[in-house]
Amino acid sequence: AQTVTQSQPEMSVQEAETVTLSCTYDTSESDYYLFWYKQPPSRQMILVIRQEAYKQQNATENRFSVNFQKAAKSFSLKISDSQLGDAAMYFCAYRSAAGVGGSEKLVFGKGTKLTVNP
Amino acid sequence: DGGITQSPKYLFRKEGQNVTLSCEQNLNHDAMYWYRQDPGQGLRLIYYSQIVNDFQKGDIAEGYSVSREKKESFPLTVTSAQKNPTAFYLCASKRGGPYGYGYTFGSGTRLTVV
């Protein structure tokens, strides 16, 4: 079974600076999708960014970018120019690309709580 | 606007009672999911359904039951057999097919056993 590990339970960053959240995963599959979700205090889960494993180019969404290292099974999230509104729990998630049966499910890490200091 | 509606937002249950959490989506998504969130545990899958009248157990299905009679609805019943039901419950949906779509989540239900 696939597993996702976030080794940093908590991180903090100064406003306007850059922070990187770590995520590693374990899988024997070659085709899959990776996601970062944000959960602010409202507890609404918000999709931040996603990466297809077959793409070598790292995904970018405005101030959010990933460093996807397939061989190392690493998928870190970089937040540039951090804003107070970025403060939240961040979850890394994995999903198989097989598209059948149980592979449809998202497997989550335990999360990293990000604090942004003014 | 399309989305997922979970109700109620807060729910209190007495020990020994069954309670049902509602999840409705108007996104025309095929697949729906129930996750449980506990502090420090991330999200754990309870049940999922990829099509009407069909559903599968997730990683922590014991003490829970679901139904999928309509595409739009995927209610979760927390039974008295669930030993530690106090948690935050999230419902999600996704378009069907082997594509990398992300999930759309509801705003959650906080269940407390009193």
Side-chain angles (χ1 to χ4, degrees):
Chain A
Q2 294 82 15
T3 58
V4 176
T5 301
Q6 294 179 248
S7 60
Q8 307 151 316
E10 297 189 24
M11 293 279 287
S12 63
V13 63
Q14 292 296 124
E15 197 175 3
E17 295 191 345
T18 296
V19 64
T20 299
L21 308 183
S22 300
C23 172
T24 58
Y25 57 94
D26 186 26
T27 184
S28 58
E29 298 176 325
S30 59
D31 199 12
Y32 48 86
Y33 304 99
L34 296 165
F35 305 86
W36 278 98
Y37 279 88
K38 169 185 177 181
Q39 188 181 45
S42 67
R43 306 201 76 171
Q44 178 72 50
M45 293 287 283
I46 302 164
L47 178 63
V48 175
I49 199 166
R50 72 171 195 174
Q51 175 80 43
E52 291 92 337
Y54 64 85
K55 289 187 177 179
Q56 292 185 333
Q57 186 174 5
N58 290 324
T60 299
E61 289 287 343
N62 300 314
R63 297 183 294 107
F64 299 87
S65 61
V66 298
N67 183 5
F68 173 49
Q69 301 290 327
K70 191 172 183 179
K73 295 180 183 175
S74 172
F75 183 60
S76 60
L77 175 70
K78 185 172 82 171
I79 306 174
S80 304
D81 186 25
S82 297
Q83 300 175 358
L84 295 177
D86 295 334
M89 284 290 289
Y90 285 82
F91 292 96
C92 179
Y94 170 103
R95 182 181 154 243
S96 170
V100 292
S103 64
E104 286 279 304
K105 63 183 181 181
L106 270 179
V107 178
F108 288 87
K110 294 186 176 182
T112 297
K113 182 180 181 181
L114 178 66
T115 301
V116 180
N117 300 309
Chain B
D1 287 340
I4 297 181
T5 301
Q6 287 188 245
S7 61
K9 191 174 178 68
Y10 299 97
L11 186 58
F12 297 88
R13 189 195 93 173
K14 292 183 179 180
E15 287 201 28
Q17 286 183 337
N18 294 353
V19 290
T20 298
L21 283 59
S22 172
C23 178
E24 303 276 336
Q25 55 101 355
N26 60 1
L27 299 165
N28 199 34
H29 284 176
D30 295 305
M32 297 186 74
Y33 307 81
W34 274 106
Y35 282 87
R36 170 178 171 144
Q37 186 177 15
D38 296 283
Q41 292 293 322
L43 277 71
R44 293 181 291 168
L45 182 64
I46 305 172
Y47 268 99
Y48 63 101
S49 168
Q50 294 176 270
I51 195 169
V52 173
N53 293 323
D54 188 46
F55 48 83
Q56 286 78 40
K57 293 182 179 180
D59 301 316
I60 55 165
E62 184 175 352
Y64 300 97
S65 66
V66 294
S67 63
R68 187 91 186 273
E69 298 176 0
K70 299 186 300 181
K71 188 175 185 178
E72 302 80 14
S73 178
F74 191 42
L76 173 74
T77 297
V78 184
T79 74
S80 56
Q82 170 48 237
K83 292 180 172 32
N84 185 20
T86 294
F88 187 66
Y89 291 87
L90 281 162
C91 179
S93 70
K94 186 186 74 65
R95 267 194 275 180
Y99 307 113
Y101 302 123
Y103 288 12
T104 300
F105 283 85
S107 56
T109 293
R110 173 69 184 178
L111 172 63
T112 303
V113 173
V114 296

